[in-house]
Amino acid sequence: MRTESTPPVVFLIHLLAAGIVFLGWWPVPGSFFLLEPALFCAIALVCLLLLRVTAVRITRRSMFAYGAFAVWVVFADALSGEFLPALARDVHWLILPLLVVLYKPFFAKNENALKALQVAVAFSLIIIAYRLIDGADAVFDWVKLPIFGNIRRLAMTAGLMSVFLYLDAGYRQSEKWLLVLARVVGLSLLFWSGSRGAMLAWLLALLMFIHLTQQWSRWRGWSLEIGVAIALSILFDVGNPSMGFFGAFLRSWSSAVTTGTFDGVSSGRMSLWLETLAALHDPRIALLGAGGNGFVRLHLMFGQIFHPHNILLQAVSDWGLGGLLLLLWLVGQGVPARSELRPEKAGMTGLGAALLVFLLVTGLLDGGLYHLQYLFFAAIAFALLAASTREGASGWNRVAVPRPGIAVLLVAAILLHGVMRDYRVEWTALPQARQHVASPPGPP
């Protein structure tokens, strides 16, 4: 790949990728979920641009795993009774391996590729904080924010973005100070939200990053940032019992005392998981799934969009146990062996692994991987890990995939989303598999 010969294309990739970061959290008037079709189209456009500067070369084993997963997903969607809406939702997953394969060489040979995303993340956190402070007088319920729709979504975004900013090796001092400011702002938002799942995910991700990069000497400076963030979160506390740094710990104790149940301590997560499992009583649904947005067809709704808040249960609802196993196999192809990693790329390795830890924890507890915003960061995390490996490491011989064919599929997916912009609404042709029995999610 020779990016030097195509600087306008490379600059456009940086610009559009930064735009995806902004678009991922930007509020859309009228419907929160109208954001994701636009976000998918932007990601598809980035892939089309990346096709101009890099070839698609993957191992035969990875190609076979992806083909098997894609065929299973399309098959499940065809059986769902709502093929196009289900497929429109599932192409979110089908585009991610392509994004990983395209971003891997781009990260390896463009030193500003990661920096462009980090700068966009840094300014995003600062703008989010400004908008919350500026619009505070118009907020009646801080749990239902005007930007994210829910405080838990804010917590996941702030925590993930904060983790994304810990790698700053080789940057100028002014750039490092920007990342420091953004990390403090992001952690302040995270602690202010009081979301226990996102706070746990951030802590485990940070420990993973420090372990893999061996930057224990920076723990003192990062501890100072954490202390300032905690102080700011307490200073701006809004008094909502479902929020706040201290509220995150007090809620667990008070729920345990008042309810005496694990469901109360888990903020209703246990109910969501049990209701989802109960909806999978049909062996055919349990094996094959109900297609993209399977929870809708299973009537797991209570006057709102419901999803299982657990990536494993979400996968079973959509593609059944067979689809879940194929997904795990495909994900396993993207995780390199430790012997394949290059020591000089420890920063990329640590950042990729830290992002995956955060996304896995929130995906299991808060359903973060239901949203395309976090799937985009998951693809970036896998691409960082792949860019940290030795050239030609692992797997069978790599094969080239024709770029025109990929481009045609991407354009078709964009057109599909243009037609199915409302693929999350309650469609009229729902199979009466089960009446809804689920309750709305509890406080974060």
Side-chain angles (χ1 to χ4, degrees), residues 194-197 199-200 241-269 443-444:
S195 177
R196 294 167 295 181
M199 290 165 65
L200 174 64
S242 298
M243 295 171 55
F245 179 75
F246 293 118
F249 307 101
L250 294 176
R251 284 202 313 278
S252 298
W253 174 255
S254 61
S255 296
V257 173
T258 56
T259 66
T261 64
F262 182 74
D263 187 54
V265 178
S266 68
S267 298
R269 290 181 179 91

Side-chain angles (χ1 to χ4, degrees), residues 102-164:
L102 291 172
Y103 250 115
K104 172 191 172 181
F106 197 67
F107 279 139
K109 298 188 178 182
N110 289 269
E111 60 181 13
N112 290 325
L114 178 59
K115 185 185 297 185
L117 291 171
Q118 288 183 305
V119 170
V121 164
F123 280 108
S124 290
L125 288 171
I126 295 171
I127 295 172
I128 290 169
Y130 170 77
R131 293 195 61 173
L132 289 174
I133 295 173
D134 184 60
D137 293 339
V139 176
F140 296 97
D141 184 359
W142 283 102
V143 172
K144 300 177 180 179
L145 297 173
I147 295 181
F148 292 90
N150 188 282
I151 191 67
R152 183 175 294 169
R153 179 76 187 271
L154 166 69
M156 289 191 294
T157 298
L160 178 64
M161 288 183 169
S162 299
V163 171
F164 196 58

Side-chain angles (χ1 to χ4, degrees), residues 65 67 101 175 204 250 341 396 428 432:
V101 171
E175 295 167 339
L204 294 177
L250 294 176
L341 300 173
W396 304 344
T428 57
Q432 299 298 317

Side-chain angles (χ1 to χ4, degrees), residues 89-314:
R89 177 62 180 85
D90 280 343
V91 293
H92 290 184
W93 285 91
L94 296 180
I95 198 176
L96 295 185
L98 174 62
L99 192 61
V100 173
V101 171
L102 291 172
Y103 250 115
K104 172 191 172 181
F106 197 67
F107 279 139
K109 298 188 178 182
N110 289 269
E111 60 181 13
N112 290 325
L114 178 59
K115 185 185 297 185
L117 291 171
Q118 288 183 305
V119 170
V121 164
F123 280 108
S124 290
L125 288 171
I126 295 171
I127 295 172
I128 290 169
Y130 170 77
R131 293 195 61 173
L132 289 174
I133 295 173
D134 184 60
D137 293 339
V139 176
F140 296 97
D141 184 359
W142 283 102
V143 172
K144 300 177 180 179
L145 297 173
I147 295 181
F148 292 90
N150 188 282
I151 191 67
R152 183 175 294 169
R153 179 76 187 271
L154 166 69
M156 289 191 294
T157 298
L160 178 64
M161 288 183 169
S162 299
V163 171
F164 196 58
L165 300 179
Y166 277 110
L167 178 61
D168 58 6
Y171 290 3
R172 295 191 298 267
Q173 191 60 44
S174 59
E175 295 167 339
K176 291 184 178 182
W177 280 118
L178 172 63
L179 299 190
V180 169
L181 173 62
R183 284 198 300 265
V184 171
V185 171
L187 291 178
S188 299
L189 292 172
L190 173 62
F191 299 143
W192 173 78
S193 72
S195 177
R196 294 167 295 181
M199 290 165 65
L200 174 64
W202 158 79
L203 179 59
L204 294 177
L206 176 59
L207 293 176
M208 174 62 74
F209 179 78
I210 295 176
H211 169 68
L212 292 178
T213 60
Q214 292 298 304
Q215 297 189 41
W216 296 103
S217 60
R218 300 192 60 185
W219 179 251
R220 183 174 302 175
W222 286 335
S223 298
L224 179 61
E225 295 175 10
I226 295 170
V228 173
I230 292 175
L232 289 174
S233 68
I234 297 173
L235 178 64
F236 287 94
D237 187 89
V238 294
N240 191 307
S242 298
M243 295 171 55
F245 179 75
F246 293 118
F249 307 101
L250 294 176
R251 284 202 313 278
S252 298
W253 174 255
S254 61
S255 296
V257 173
T258 56
T259 66
T261 64
F262 182 74
D263 187 54
V265 178
S266 68
S267 298
R269 290 181 179 91
M270 184 60 67
S271 291
L272 297 176
W273 299 337
L274 292 177
E275 295 293 355
T276 304
L277 288 173
L280 299 170
H281 66 284
D282 186 335
R284 185 186 71 85
I285 296 295
L287 177 63
L288 301 177
N293 278 350
F295 60 90
V296 178
R297 294 178 191 83
L298 296 175
H299 287 190
L300 289 169
M301 293 186 294
F302 191 87
Q304 63 179 14
I305 291 296
F306 171 100
H307 64 92
H309 284 71
N310 180 287
I311 180 55
L312 300 179
L313 293 177
Q314 176 193 333

Side-chain angles (χ1 to χ4, degrees), residues 390-412:
R390 299 183 180 90
E391 198 65 31
S394 80
W396 304 344
N397 294 331
R398 294 181 180 270
V399 295
V401 182
R403 285 183 283 188
I406 297 175
V408 169
L409 293 176
L410 287 173
V411 172

